[in-house]
Amino acid sequence: MAPTNGVPPPPKKRRIGVMTSGGDAPGMNGAVRAVVRTSIHMGCEAYAIYEGYDGLVQGGDMIKQMLWDDVRGFLSRGGTLIGTARCMAFMERPGRLKAAKNMILNGIDALVICGGDGSLTGADLFRDEWPGLLEELVSNGELKADDTQPYQHLNIVGLVGSIDNDMSGTDATIGCYSSLERICHAVDDVFDTAASHQRGFVIEVMGRHCGWLALMASIATGADFVFIPEKPPRAGWEDQMCGIVRTHRQRGKRRTIIIIAEGAHDVNLTKITPNQVKDLLTQRLRLDTRVTILGHTQRGGQACFYDRWLSTLQGVEAVNAVLEATPETVTPVITIRENKIERSDLMEAVRLTKSVSKAIEQKDFDKAMELRDAEFKEYYNSYMITTSTDHPRLRLPPEKQLRIAIVHVGAPAGGMNPATRAAVAYCLTRGHTPISIHNGFPGLQRHHDDKPLGAVREVKWIDVDPWVNEGGSEIGTNRGLPSADLKKTAECFELYKFDALFVIGGFEAFTAVSEMRRARAEYPSFRIPMVVLPATVSNNVPGTEYSLGSDTCLNTLITFCDAIRQSASSSRRRVFVIETQGGRSGYVATMAGLSIGALAVYIPEERVDIHTIARDIGFLRHNFANDKGASRAGKIILRNEKASATYTTQVIADMIAEEAQGRFEAKAAVPGHYQQGGKPSPMDRIRALRMSIKCMQYIEGFTGKSPEELMQDDMSAAVIGVQGSEVVFSAMGGERGLESVATDWKDRRPKAEFWLGMKDTVDILSGRPKAGTPCRECGRPL
């Protein structure tokens, strides 16, 4: 078929366009990479529209086909490499008419757009107008009916790229956790100078219409007060804020941190400025106070692990949504609920988002909070409970007040300290007595009554408040179990009159509670509520898809891998085999592989043999033979520490180097305990608060039950966890309990590992051939 009016014939393969629009956000490049490579993998062609809607209107060189290697190195880059720009022309119908013509000229009938609610609203309007735009192009003679016939339906899929996390219907938007990380790093740095001089700091963060960044930063840094647009402080807030700060100072706190969203206002919508807050602290409390405005530093820099993971999985899902769409399919936006990627109605999400701003304008702040989502409101309430423990109306009567023991078990993990801090603050607010057990169960068994200070200690607020951003375990942790001396453990429970036990840790914590639960018949003091909050870099606790510390570990690991890749790329022809932690679970290796673009990942769940390594060496040979001098060509293979007893990290690196025959080099790198990280990531901090408080509230639900009733109740020994789109408590014992149906005791991991399917995504996006694929060099099956 010959071209008509300069319009080429319909392409043999479907063409999918990808563009970024609105404000840039870390992770956008990961989405572009995922869309491009998934499209190619699915037999389609991928096109990038440069400079957002402006490129769509301008056409020409602004719309370019993207090949596999064109997105190499995208994952670790900040901003958006295909650009974004304001486009007034697209807001008018003539501009959209040009855009429609340019899409047809390039054979594109599907668009994946990563941007904010304004950009995505424009995309949906474009889709609605599409049939009329084609008719107009034909009627005014710009195109012929035959030209437009193959493009009767336009598919649009939205990805939300926004550091503000202001889209309703999703827990997180691409870029929001990277921005939160920038804020927390800045506030963490302020901590030292603030405490040194006993100063106050008022820190302004982004968020004109959404207080997510301000609220989460306040939780993650233990700020004394927060101002957000959705929930302005009540009349007389000046007295309330100064009262909280004064109380904290009287308790011994040396620093004061106030976080304010740039869109903060009072109940009358009168703007509250950082300088106004600073003057109040200076004049009323005689507090030396400084203002820090973080500005655009919040937007820049590399994406954190979570944003790379989210953008990659959402980009893959966007291509699937395009290929599965029908003319009747409503325009979807790819969202996330807890740990589950979902498709939602784009315009319903936009409608709810805009209704938040409308509710604020109408001073209906309760409605604004409800419209955000249940999680946002829950975080706000949790923050208010824990930032100040003086809430008389929340205090329980004496007969309902409990002695709650808190213990850390297993290896250190980021989030253990913030979780303990949150639990203690909640206990003090409610009138409970929080008791820390130092150095795990061995500490309880051997040193509970040491003089002058034993391992069992009642905790004050000022003891734990500084732990909000501290890594490791301030009360000490180890792998010791109750079974080392069950009798002594039970005697201590009885001696100190524990009414409940809160265990924070990994698989050993799970095992510890299992041992005590099964010993209840012999030891009555174990007949109390026991809850496990998973905290381990390995993320291998049954009953949850997320563990505190895993995000911190992955952030630390990808920073290490990015630095290693830079070294590998500088010499161009170099492969690094990097060993990850994780025990017998390949979670860390697989998630890191997804977020750095690893060439291959070796995990215990899949057999690593000579054929696997040979296949990957063949793949490496092909890659280096065809890199044509490309930059950023270093390769990384990740190997879980327990992937194989024979093929160690060094052995694999040596085998690759030997078989490379001088074409490229191979080195081994072992980050070891560095992966446990320093300060906990913002995600681990805020989830520590939320899940700790849920655990305390869960324990309170058993108040009034007798020891015999608790012994018969399977739910009295439980694990809190994220499962799909929900946070749930799962019984450890019983016929359908985690111990019997969900635990692989031999390999110390869940029987069903939710993330295993993502391993295929790692291989797809790296282009790694499957077993049996013909070798590109010799044609023999790999």
Side-chain angles (χ1 to χ4, degrees), residues 326-343:
T326 67
E328 292 74 35
T329 304
V330 297
T331 302
V333 61
I334 310 302
T335 57
I336 186 167
R337 285 290 189 187
E338 298 296 349
N339 229 32
K340 186 179 180 184
I341 304 293
E342 298 179 337
R343 300 177 195 174

Side-chain angles (χ1 to χ4, degrees), residues 89-131:
F90 191 81
M91 297 175 70
E92 306 293 334
R93 186 176 173 87
R96 294 192 289 275
L97 194 68
K98 288 182 181 179
K101 181 178 180 181
N102 286 327
M103 287 188 64
I104 290 172
L105 289 175
N106 285 278
I108 301 169
D109 68 347
L111 273 178
V112 177
I113 300 174
C114 184
D117 62 334
S119 301
L120 299 180
T121 300
D124 191 71
L125 174 63
F126 190 40
R127 184 193 180 191
D128 284 346
E129 289 184 347
W130 184 258

